[in-house]
């Protein structure tokens, strides 16, 4: 990772090339499933597609606020527009095979705005674990007993994650990871109140994500409020399954399979598959839209020289 960061820092051409590669993989993922996607889209109304997409954008916005609060708690507050650029442009790297690209891109983008790499790495790792814990907790609270029994090994992670997010345990784990990466330990850690606030924003994001799937389900059949719990739990379980399958870029295929399993008892397998395909497209396009917004909004943002000096002095740590 340090060698990769140094190469990204010293080569603007390499950074531009990686951005193009990420966009190419994103476009390939859309094109590869276009036949299934177009068939699924034809079954849904414009209002359901539009409402679902707006919910995706809103949910991603909540996740942005949570990540920004974690990074600020670690000592590197960023303006919201800059945080959007770092998070969403960097996360395009998740569409490239390999698990390090998104982390490396976010670390380098944040360094451009004065955040030392150790803080960005820690904030991103904490945000991911917090999101995983919230997703699994939501799935455990909403899914039926049969689905919960099939995914018991995932739901069993919830108490472990809660323990891991305790400030003392969290600090020990992050500093251990930084030591393995040959970096300096954190000079500031999150308080319990800061961690709770970030978790609240994250859970709000997950509840809005549930709306996106609930609206799609409503395009397939009458969807009352009782189906919201099923939709929210199904997406949460599917995302958690995909994110833990680290060998697959962005959990492609794995997430859809888990979502079909959770939704099939309600919709039937063909309709559940259609909803899963459209959901994937919604999030892929949502990632691209937020990345574009972040890039445009943060253009020309000046960074205080002292912050850049702090980040530069820590890039090799």
């Amino acid at each position: 990772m340090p060698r990769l960061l140094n190469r990204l820092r010293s080569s603007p051409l390499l950074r531009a090339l990686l951005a193009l590669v990420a966009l190419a993989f994103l476009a390939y993922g859309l094109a590869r499933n276009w036949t299934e996607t177009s068939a699924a889209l034809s079954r849904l109304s414009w209002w359901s597609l539009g409402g679902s997409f707006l919910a995706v954008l809103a949910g991603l916005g909540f996740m942005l606020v949570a990540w920004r609060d974690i990074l600020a708690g670690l000592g590197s507050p960023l303006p919201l527009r800059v945080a959007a650029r770092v998070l969403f442009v960097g996360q395009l790297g998740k569409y490239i095979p390999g698990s390090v690209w998104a982390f490396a891109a976010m670390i380098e983008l944040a360094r451009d705005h004065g955040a030392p790499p150790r803080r960005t790495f820690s904030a991103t790792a904490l945000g991911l674990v917090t999101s995983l814990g919230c997703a699994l907790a939501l799935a455990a609270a909403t899914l039926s007993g049969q689905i919960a029994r099939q995914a018991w090994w995932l739901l069993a992670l919830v108490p472990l994650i809660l323990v891991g997010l305790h400030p003392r345990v969290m600090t020990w784990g992050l500093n251990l990871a930084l030591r393995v990466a040959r970096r300096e330990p954190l000079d500031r850690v999150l308080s319990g109140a800061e961690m709770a606030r970030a978790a609240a924003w994250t859970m709000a994001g997950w509840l809005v994500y549930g709306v996106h799937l609930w609206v799609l389900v409503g395009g397939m059949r009458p969807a009352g409020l009782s189906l919201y719990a099923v939709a929210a739990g199904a997406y949460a379980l599917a995302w958690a399954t995909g994110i833990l399958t680290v060998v697959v870029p962005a959990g492609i295929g794995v997430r859809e399979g888990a979502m079909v399993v959770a939704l099939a008892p309600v919709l039937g397998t063909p309709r559940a598959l259609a909803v899963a395909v459209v959901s994937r497209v919604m999030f892929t396009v949502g990632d691209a839209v937020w990345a574009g917004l972040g890039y445009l909004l943060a253009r020309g943002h000046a960074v205080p020289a002292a912050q850049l000096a702090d980040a530069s002095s820590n890039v090799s740590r």
Side-chain angles (χ1 to χ4, degrees), residues 13 60-61 122 132 187 190 269:
L13 180 61
L60 290 171
S122 298
L132 180 60
D187 52 353
L190 290 177
T269 300

Side-chain angles (χ1 to χ4, degrees), residues 34-284:
W34 182 245
T35 301
E36 296 86 348
T37 301
S38 59
L41 289 172
S42 67
R43 302 180 186 181
L44 295 166
S45 64
W46 286 108
W47 72 264
S48 62
L49 293 173
S52 178
F53 186 61
L54 289 176
V56 167
L57 293 180
L60 290 171
F62 280 116
M63 298 303 181
L64 165 64
V65 174
W67 178 80
R68 175 176 173 262
D69 279 358
I70 293 174
L71 186 61
L74 293 176
S76 290
L78 294 178
L80 190 61
R81 58 180 179 168
V82 172
R85 177 178 184 264
V86 173
L87 179 63
F88 292 113
V89 174
Q91 282 202 348
L92 291 179
K94 69 186 179 183
Y95 292 97
I96 303 175
S99 57
V100 301
W101 298 108
F103 266 87
M106 290 175 64
I107 287 171
E108 185 61 18
L109 288 169
R111 189 197 65 80
D112 289 346
H113 294 279
R118 67 180 185 273
R119 292 179 188 165
T120 308
F121 170 82
S122 298
T124 305
L126 274 177
L128 185 62
V129 173
T130 303
S131 191
L132 180 60
C134 289
L136 292 175
L138 182 60
T142 56
L143 292 180
S144 66
Q146 181 179 358
I147 299 297
R149 284 193 295 271
Q150 291 176 342
W152 67 268
W153 62 276
L154 274 175
L155 303 183
L157 294 175
V158 174
L160 296 178
I161 291 172
L162 291 176
V163 172
L165 291 177
H166 187 279
R168 291 186 179 180
V169 179
M170 174 183 66
T171 302
W172 177 83
L174 288 174
N175 283 335
L176 176 62
L178 290 168
R179 192 179 308 120
V180 171
R182 298 181 181 179
R183 295 187 179 277
E184 291 294 318
L186 290 170
D187 52 353
R188 183 175 175 181
V189 297
L190 290 177
S191 67
E194 289 170 329
M195 192 69 248
R197 184 169 60 250
W201 281 115
T202 303
M203 183 56 80
W206 275 107
L207 293 174
V208 176
Y209 283 166
V211 172
H212 108 275
L213 201 62
W214 178 60
V215 173
L216 291 179
V217 170
M220 291 290 179
R221 56 161 289 177
L225 290 176
S226 61
L227 280 181
Y228 170 77
V230 176
Y235 183 73
L237 180 65
W239 180 88
T241 304
I243 205 68
L244 291 173
T245 311
V246 295
V247 296
V248 181
I252 295 174
V254 177
R255 182 198 297 180
E256 288 72 26
M259 195 181 302
V260 169
V261 170
L263 290 178
V266 176
L267 296 179
T269 300
R271 290 182 174 183
L273 180 58
V275 167
V277 171
V278 174
S279 172
R280 166 62 71 176
V281 174
M282 292 290 180
F283 272 90
T284 302

